[in-house]
Each structure stands twice: as C-alpha cells, then as structure tokens.
Amino acid sequence: MSHHTAPHDSRVVIIGLGVVGAAVADELVLRGWTDVTVVEQGPLFETGGSSSHAPGFVFQTSPNKAMCELAQRTLDKLDGAEVDGQWVMKRVGGLELATTAERVEELHRRHDFAKSWGVPAQLLTPEEVAALWPDIDTSTVLSALHTPTDAVVKGVRAVEFQARRAQAGGARLVSETQVTGIRRSGTRVTGVETVPVGSDAEPEVIEADIVISCAGLWGPKLARELLGMDIPMLPVEHGFGFSQPIESLAGLDDATEVARPMIRHQDHGMYLREWGSRIAIGAYEHRPLPVADHEIASPEQILRHGGQASIHPFTRQDFEASWVEAQRLLPELRETTLDDSLSFNGIFSFTPDGGPLLGPVPGIEGLWMAQSVWVTQSAGVGEVVAQWLTTGDPGIDTHGLDVARFDPLLTSQRWAREQGEESYDEVYDIVHPRATTLRLRGLRTSPFYERQRGRGASFSSANGWERPLWYESNATLPDMRPAVPMLGDAPLPTRDQWSAQYWSPLVAVEARRLRESVGLVDMSSLPRWELSGTGATEFLDGLADDGLLSRRVGRTVGSIVYALILDERGGILSDITIARTAEETYHLGVNGNLDAAWFQMMMRQRSYALHLRDASSGSCGLGLWGPQAREVLQGLVDEDLSHEAFRFYRSRELHVAGVPVLAMRLSYVGELGWELYAPAEFGRHLWDVLIGAGRRHDILPVGRRAFESLRLEKGMRLWGTDMTREHTPHEAGIEFAVRGAAAEKLTAIGADQPSRKLVCLLLEDPSKVLMGHEPVYAAGDDGRPIGYVTSADQGYVTGQSIAYAWVPAEHSAAGTEVEASYFGRRLRARVAEEPLFDPSASRMRS
C-alpha cells in the first residue's frame, strides 16, 4: 500500500459543496468509494460561496504545466454535461487581445506555452479578431491569441451535475449544516462535529477516517479556528459589472447566454463576455480589496438576512476605469450604462504563488485540503485529489500545488495577505519568469547581508530569504581593472530585452572567476534538516529497502550520499543529500518543506520517535569553490584538507579561523570546494576571513545567476524544474543515484526503460537564451512539438547557450537536430553529450 493510500472502505467527510467539494465527492464515488458525506453550510448547489457567482472563464493556457493540465481535465470532464437539459459548459473559445508591442510579444510567448502543453491556439490579425467579434473597435488591437477549446463553465450547474451524480452513487449531501469541530485521536482525524445553521443544539459527530476541507473562502477561518493553523490563502474582492441590455445581443436568451469567445483585455486588466443580452465585465485593474474573516457573512447571518456571503456591494469607483475602457473597446456600450443593481464585488481566493492548496495536511493523519481552487481547475483538482487519496499517485506533478509546499515559518496572516495582494495585482500583468516578489522584502537575511549590500548585491527573494543574484562591485576586479564579461573565448554578446531582465553581464565575470580561481556563494537559503535519535539509521535504511529512498545511507560517520525520494512507481518526489554527522544523526540537504513533511509522515507510519529539526533557521552557509578553494580554506584551519585526508562526498566538523563549521565536500557547480555551515552569530566573521584569505587569489563573491549557469554546464538537475514526480531516474538521467532495492524495484516495474529523456541542448546561436517552457520541435517539422524546455542559460566558460529539455527517447541521441520556439521564432539546436564541462569530474574530485 502506498504511503498516502487509504483503505477502500474509508469513511470520508468533505467540508463544502462548492465546485471543488462536489468534484472530489463525484470522483471518489466514481472510484467505488461510497461512504462519502458532504457537509455544506449553505443550501444545496447554489451554496453562496465563490462557485455561486464565478463568471466561469476557463482559459487553459498557463506558463505552469500542472495548472494547464488541471484546466484541460476540467473541460474534458464537463464536456457535454447537462443539468435538467441546460448546458454546464460551452467551448466558445478564448480571445486575448494585445494593444501594446509588449503584449504582442507576450502573446507569442503564451502561444508557445499553449503549444508546449497541447492547447490548440493561433495568433490572429486585427481583421481576424473583427471576424470573430464584429462589434469590437480594433483600431488599437495589434494582435490576439485565439484558443478555440477554452470555455465558459456555469459554476452552480457544475456543482449540481457532479453532486447529483455522487449522490446517485451513494454519497450523502447534508445542507445548511456547519462543521464546528474536527475530532482527533492523537495525530489522527476521527470525525467532525456539526450543528444545523442557526441551531443551539448539541453538536452531532460524523465519524470519519478522512476529512477533506473544500471550504473555499471560509478555508483560512476554518483552519485557524478548528486546527489552530494559518494557511497561506487570501480572499479578495473582485469587481464584476453588467451592462444594460444592448441591441446586438437581443438574440441571446438566458438559455443560450454566450456564443462568441470570451475576451481577455489584459493591457487594461479586464475580461468581457456575452451574458445573455448584456456584456459582463471583470476588473483586475482596481486596488486589491482583501477580505478579513469577520468581513465574510456567517451562515447564520445569511439565514436571517439572505444574500450570498461571497458577494459584497459593488464599489463603482474601483470599476470606473474598466467601464470606460469597455465602452471604448465595444462602441455599442457607449449608448448604455452599467447596471448597478446586478453588478457586485465577488470574493475569491489567492495564494502567494497562484497555485491551489491540495493534498494531505502535514502532522494530521487523514486530514486533506483542496483550497483556493478556481472553477478553471476545479474538476481537474477533484480528479487529482481522488486519485491521490485512493492510489497514492496524484497522476500529475503536485510540488507547486501541495498544501505542504510553504515553509511554516513564513505562513503568517500578514505574509498571506501581502503575497495574496501581489498575486491579485499580477493576474493580467506580463510577469517575467525570473521576477521576484516586491512584498515583505528583507524578511529573512543571512549574517552576510550587510556585507553583500556593501558590494552592491542585486537580490531576489527565495522562501523569504534575500539571495544575491550578482554583485555590482565585481565590475571592477581586485586589481582595479574593469571586468570584461566573456562567453567562452569571445566577448559576451548583447542579450535581447527579455532575457536581459533580472540579469547582468557581471554574471559572466563571477562564473569565470569561480572556474579559474575561487568564488564564494551564499548558501544560507538552502533548506536543511537534522534527523537524529536512536533508530535513525535503521529508519533511513528501511526506506531504502522499500524502494522509497533510492539508496542506503553511508556506513561511516562523515559519509555523504546523494539520494532520491521516490514514489511507488519510481517518480522523483525530491533529491536530497544525506550527511552522516554522528552514529545516529544525519544532516539532510532538501528542497523544501515538502521533504520535511514526507519524512515526518514516514516516521509516523513506521512508528519511529525520531527528532527532525530545521537546521537552516538560525544558521548560515557559504559555498567555497574553485581550483584555489583548498588553498584558501587550508590557511584558516588546523586540520589536513588534502584530498587523501578529506575526500569528495565526505563531511566533518572544522574550526575555520575560530568559527565552528560543518564542512561538506560536495559540489553542485563541478569544482573543488566545500559547503560550510555555521551558527548565524559566527557568520559575518566567517565571510570576512574567507574573503581575506582569498584576496591573493582574487576571490569574488558569486551570485545565484552564475551558480545556475555553472550547474547547467556541469549537467546538474534542478528538482521541481528539470525533474518532478512525473519523471523517473532513468528518464531524468540520474539513475546513478539508484542502488539496491530501489534499482530492483524500478527494473521490476519497467521504469528503467524510458520512452522520454531529459537532454542537454546547445543552441546554434550562443547569443540567444531561452527562459524555460518553450516548445521543442523536430528539426524542420511544423507539426506538433515533441517536447519542452525546462531550464536554460548561457555557459560562460563553455561559450554555449544551454537548454535542458524533455524529448521522446528516439530524439535523445547526441547530435540530433531540433528547434526551440522563442516568442514564436524558431531557434536551431542539437542534442549534446553531457556533461559539457569536465566530463571526467576530475576537477571537483581532485
């Protein structure tokens, strides 16, 4: 049985019968689960949550593959569905307009996303737009993206269609009843307490093995009051206006409702569609209007006074600019007014990264969430959660969807509000893939922060940490010569405007200096945990013996292994380093909170009382790498650092100029060196002594951008970008990390014979730089893409433009010619032997 799988006869309670709760119930029943109860505080179907007023725009195209797949699944499921003879979904298509040169380029990029993820799409001229929507003023329209399979979904009908089918299959629907408590025995859910809305009766207990919160905009309040936890989710008001009836739409009755494509006019932060004889308009242009718990009407208030909790009064002043632009775009609206009696501010939810909150809640066995889900992804989320629960395999990459992905240290109400407001602001913005948050900056800083600022560091935010991207001080080298950025042996070519954002030519200087001499990289933001206690070794080796960890831990104190966390079918849940720092103590370099949640779950399931401690909070880390790294460090320690005394993939405690340091000899950049971790209070001194000792070797501080380039030259995979749980080790090219029982298991299930591969591409033109998610085509083929790009950058030492991409195995041989589409323009590339740099690995093992 998989670690997430529940027994077939589990008793399930779903909180909320919105479009998500209905989808989850339906999907569980379709999989043969019948002991399913849905508790809804409102009336059935039109429950009063966000599903009851959602405009139902389902645009599938997204830079995020998983979010696109969820939208595709939603439409595939609801295609052709009816409720009492009325349609649930219409594939009227979508139309995204461009009225600026920047938006035209963005539509080319979005067209490429559509191609990568298999969404039918085409770019239109203004004349073609006018043919689809004759009433549009196309005088400012430069281009448009038409996605003919996008759809309008009627939220309430989608709820009713799925809920009635679940009910017919045995699910129980309980309306106008509130969940007032979640019962637990130890760390396990045992049921929910419910009372009829408005009643003073004693709570009734519905026993349950699994409780799934699909409470929508009430989710944050429910989590705080019933679970004592904050979830990073913010309900926000969104202006939605209706015009008075217009003559050209007189032929559209309430039953037909919409015939032409939905329009997104993103340069003005708005969307429009036919709504019977009216035009309906949604506005993202206005200020964020966050909604606190107490500002959402309670079920009792709705029972007494009527209305819908998710609908707030229309704030006309926030909507005015959108109405003026709508009248300009659709001249017929100039003859009419907004219908304030129908217009409203609807509430729906935002998370810091725009993804939903799905999956098992860490620390509470049997408690699941499906929160912050729009109609767009709703039925897809129902499928994924049901499959995840019943088989242990969600069927798609969930790392950007999982409720456990956020660091608990960050998830305060303030952080959720600030990040949620920013997500709202950016819904229709052109957001660069390298952009970083502008909210709550400086929240987490390493002890090197002031030193880095003094060197002109340009920072991004990573998990709340300020992380240097490059240093302006490196424009002048230590001997006062101006730095000359190079690409291989040639001057660095000028980048195009898009790829030059969040980047500097100094990145090339930093990368080359690390390769040629020595560089210092801030590693403090790397998530690290310490696992300790009697039985820690037995626990880890047990995971390896069951094929869930790709190899056993090292036999001796000081050993380090690189291992993969695998699911039952060999999918890569994460990649980690495991350093044995004492007989029963392990230092784990992980990818984030998902890994900690996984280890905690495994300990509970296997009855191990071990201690798992966050080792990165309160500490700091520096990577010291390059041919001169040993010479720099040796002068600061008494211990012998020769290769024979301190071998590759070993760790030990050192004192570096008096600083207690855990030194780990490993390298993500392919050079000799160490990761050095110390208590935070020693950090500034550690920085200063390393910089001082490296001065005669012209040491430079090196930022994240150079680090990323160096790892691509060395062929190092980045989990979550290059590989996810959708991929197996043999597909991702890291089967070297699989040993013993895990290797036998992968062979037994056929996961060692990949039909697709992650390959290294070299672009013919080294001045061109891809950004990720671009479609990849067989050379000269104008048909469907064969794959897509994961990560890319220039290799400043190898002199090449590098991209990693997923392609079918038959296109993976070195020398195979392919093309990548960049803003709709084809760039020639070929598959390369990898790693590109130092194939023998002699540099980092010397």
Side-chain angles (χ1 to χ4, degrees), residues 682-841:
F682 292 94
R684 191 171 66 173
H685 182 68
L686 182 63
W687 172 281
D688 288 346
V689 296
L690 288 169
I691 289 287
R695 198 162 281 128
R696 64 194 184 93
H697 300 287
D698 291 343
I699 192 171
L700 290 183
V702 172
R704 190 72 190 180
R705 287 287 177 264
F707 185 79
E708 290 164 355
S709 166
L710 293 166
R711 71 101 181 162
L712 284 173
E713 287 186 327
K714 191 58 190 151
M716 301 293 190
R717 276 68 169 141
L718 178 62
W719 182 83
T721 299
D722 298 317
M723 57 188 186
T724 69
R725 73 182 303 158
E726 292 185 330
H727 309 114
T728 65
H730 291 79
E731 290 175 332
I734 51 171
E735 60 271 20
F736 65 84
V738 184
R739 309 271 175 85
E744 293 168 12
K745 186 173 176 179
L746 292 182
T747 300
I749 62 176
D752 59 343
Q753 300 295 321
S755 60
R756 59 182 172 178
K757 298 277 283 188
L758 182 68
V759 297
C760 177
L761 303 180
L762 296 180
L763 272 60
E764 186 175 78
D765 182 349
S767 71
K768 296 288 190 287
V769 188
L770 301 178
M771 292 279 113
H773 309 318
E774 294 89 355
V776 174
Y777 298 82
D781 187 348
D782 289 329
R784 296 177 63 176
I786 58 170
Y788 60 92
V789 172
T790 57
S791 51
D793 205 343
Q794 285 166 311
Y796 302 105
V797 176
T798 59
Q800 296 149 322
S801 184
I802 307 163
Y804 273 79
W806 283 101
V807 299
E810 59 268 27
H811 293 274
S812 65
T816 302
E817 294 190 353
V818 297
E819 295 173 351
S821 182
Y822 181 66
F823 289 93
R825 296 177 281 277
R826 295 289 186 93
L827 303 178
R828 294 166 62 91
R830 62 177 173 82
V831 177
E833 294 275 5
E834 57 166 335
L836 301 170
F837 183 81
D838 188 27
S840 67

Side-chain angles (χ1 to χ4, degrees), residues 14 28 48 89 220 223 278 372 425 436 444 477 564 577 622 739 761 766 792 811 824 845:
I14 296 169
L28 286 174
M89 183 198 91
R278 304 168 188 270
S372 200
D425 267 338
T436 189
R444 303 175 93 169
L477 297 178
L564 311 173
T577 54
L622 288 169
R739 309 271 175 85
L761 303 180
H811 293 274
R845 295 176 181 273

Side-chain angles (χ1 to χ4, degrees), residues 434-436 441 452 456-462 465-472 474 501-504 506-508 510-511 521-522 701-708:
R434 303 283 187 270
T436 189
R441 293 301 299 269
Q452 292 162 346
S458 178
F459 292 96
S460 69
S461 178
W465 289 93
E466 293 298 317
R467 191 162 70 175
L469 297 177
W470 66 83
Y471 295 84
E472 291 296 336
N474 291 338
Q501 292 182 57
Y502 305 98
W503 174 86
S504 163
L506 295 175
V507 172
E510 294 172 9
V521 181
D522 186 353
V702 172
R704 190 72 190 180
R705 287 287 177 264
F707 185 79
E708 290 164 355

Side-chain angles (χ1 to χ4, degrees), residues 58-62 64-79 89 91 113-121 147 149-151 153 374-381 383-384 396 726 784:
V58 178
F59 281 83
Q60 299 162 87
T61 305
S62 167
N64 185 300
K65 180 172 180 279
M67 292 293 275
C68 179
E69 285 175 329
L70 290 172
Q72 289 169 313
R73 286 179 178 219
T74 296
L75 295 188
D76 289 345
K77 179 180 180 180
L78 299 178
D79 224 341
M89 183 198 91
R91 289 195 191 257
F113 294 152
K115 294 287 190 186
S116 288
W117 316 141
V119 178
T147 41
T149 61
D150 286 343
V153 170
W374 295 4
V375 171
T376 306
Q377 280 84 25
S378 58
V381 161
E383 284 185 13
V384 165
I396 67 171
E726 292 185 330
R784 296 177 63 176

Side-chain angles (χ1 to χ4, degrees), residues 660-680:
V661 162
L662 173 63
M664 303 172 67
R665 191 177 162 201
L666 40 78
S667 176
Y668 197 55
V669 296
E671 294 291 344
L672 168 67
W674 288 265
E675 292 180 10
L676 306 170
Y677 295 106

